[in-house]
Amino acid sequence: EAEVAQSPRYKITEKSQAVAFWCDPISGHATLYWYRQILGQGPELLVQFQDESVVDDSQLPKDRFSAERLKGVDSTLKIQPAELGDSAMYLCASSLAGGLAGGLVPYNEQFFGPGTRLTVL
Amino acid sequence: GENVEQHPSTLSVQEGDSAVIKCTYSDSASNYFPWYKQELGKGPQLIIDIRSNVGEKKDQRIAVTLNKTAKHFSLHITETQPEDSAVYFCAASIGSYIPTFGRGTSLIVHP
């Protein structure tokens, strides 16, 4: 069964350092999402891509966070510099189509990767 | 925007008992309601979903019900097993738009 891949699974860094997370969505999924999940809460959207274009990054702290999906397949999320409050689980998800651009499918069935647990010391 | 409330935040049951998790949503236009199970250290896994054109859906020991008039939907797990222990999230979305997630319910099944 196809799965969303993420790496690394765990990352420990010191504040002010740079970190990067990688995601490979399910093959053929045009839409890719990065979520942040704080312990005890549900996932919160950071950024959504439709192919290589950003559809929604309104919740992305752009002073320190950046995301790219250059070829419309895999994606990288970067934090520079990391702060203590960035400690969280970073989840990547993909779907056939969805979001503001509408889609070929009527429902946004998302599939999540295993996540990257970030600890900032 | 959409607001999803989920209760309870923690649910403790004995093995074999049933568990019910309830969610309410605010936007009457929402028409897709997935449920995710998240085990410790893993990403959420879709376990069942329901669309607004049906009132109930069942898959083995899990079922979901939807009351569009009251704007609430529930997850029912029967004959709970220790491996059902996890955090469960409900979500609501309008068509292909981004879902709004509840805050999660930590289900603990005691052997």
Side-chain angles (χ1 to χ4, degrees):
Chain A
E1 183 175 302
E3 295 181 342
V4 176
Q6 287 188 250
S7 67
R9 293 293 311 280
Y10 304 93
K11 180 69 178 178
I12 299 174
T13 190
E14 294 185 345
K15 63 180 182 180
S16 80
Q17 296 299 304
V19 293
F21 314 131
W22 176 81
C23 172
D24 191 14
I26 293 173
S27 178
H29 280 195
T31 311
L32 183 147
Y33 314 82
W34 283 103
Y35 288 89
R36 178 168 57 188
Q37 184 179 27
I38 296 170
L39 195 63
Q41 298 183 19
E44 295 179 330
L45 183 72
L46 289 173
V47 61
Q48 176 193 349
F49 289 92
Q50 187 78 20
D51 299 311
E52 68 277 5
S53 300
V54 173
V55 174
D56 183 359
D57 63 357
S58 58
Q59 301 304 310
L60 188 71
K62 299 181 188 63
D63 57 334
R64 297 184 301 107
F65 286 64
S66 64
E68 59 183 18
R69 193 184 185 197
L70 294 176
K71 297 183 179 179
V73 181
D74 58 338
S75 175
T76 302
L77 177 69
K78 297 179 181 178
I79 308 175
Q80 182 174 17
E83 296 181 352
L84 295 177
D86 296 332
S87 294
M89 174 80 90
Y90 289 83
L91 296 165
C92 179
S94 70
S95 66
L96 274 174
L100 298 176
L104 301 176
V105 294
Y107 302 102
N108 196 340
E109 185 175 358
Q110 299 188 359
F111 297 86
F112 285 84
T116 296
R117 169 71 65 187
L118 172 67
T119 302
V120 182
L121 303 175
Chain B
E2 175 68 277
N3 181 49
V4 176
E5 299 284 340
Q6 183 172 348
H7 299 280
S9 57
T10 304
L11 180 58
S12 183
V13 300
Q14 288 297 127
E15 182 177 1
D17 287 350
S18 295
V20 180
I21 302 170
K22 299 181 179 181
C23 290
T24 61
Y25 60 99
S26 61
D27 194 332
S28 57
S30 290
N31 62 353
Y32 178 61
F33 307 91
W35 285 89
Y36 291 87
K37 176 183 180 182
Q38 187 173 25
E39 297 176 342
L40 195 63
K42 298 183 179 180
Q45 298 294 310
L46 180 69
I47 56 171
I48 195 169
D49 57 22
I50 191 167
R51 298 164 189 187
S52 60
N53 58 345
V54 298
E56 183 174 358
K57 183 176 179 180
K58 192 172 183 179
D59 183 4
Q60 298 182 349
R61 295 187 297 108
I62 60 173
V64 57
T65 59
L66 171 65
N67 183 327
K68 289 187 293 182
T69 302
K71 289 188 285 188
H72 68 70
F73 55 113
S74 301
L75 177 71
H76 304 252
I77 306 174
T78 58
E79 300 172 24
T80 54
Q81 301 167 4
E83 51 265 39
D84 294 329
S85 296
V87 178
Y88 291 81
F89 292 96
C90 63
S93 66
I94 303 170
S96 58
Y97 285 80
I98 302 293
T100 299
F101 290 85
R103 294 178 64 92
T105 295
S106 177
L107 173 64
I108 302 167
V109 181
H110 299 282

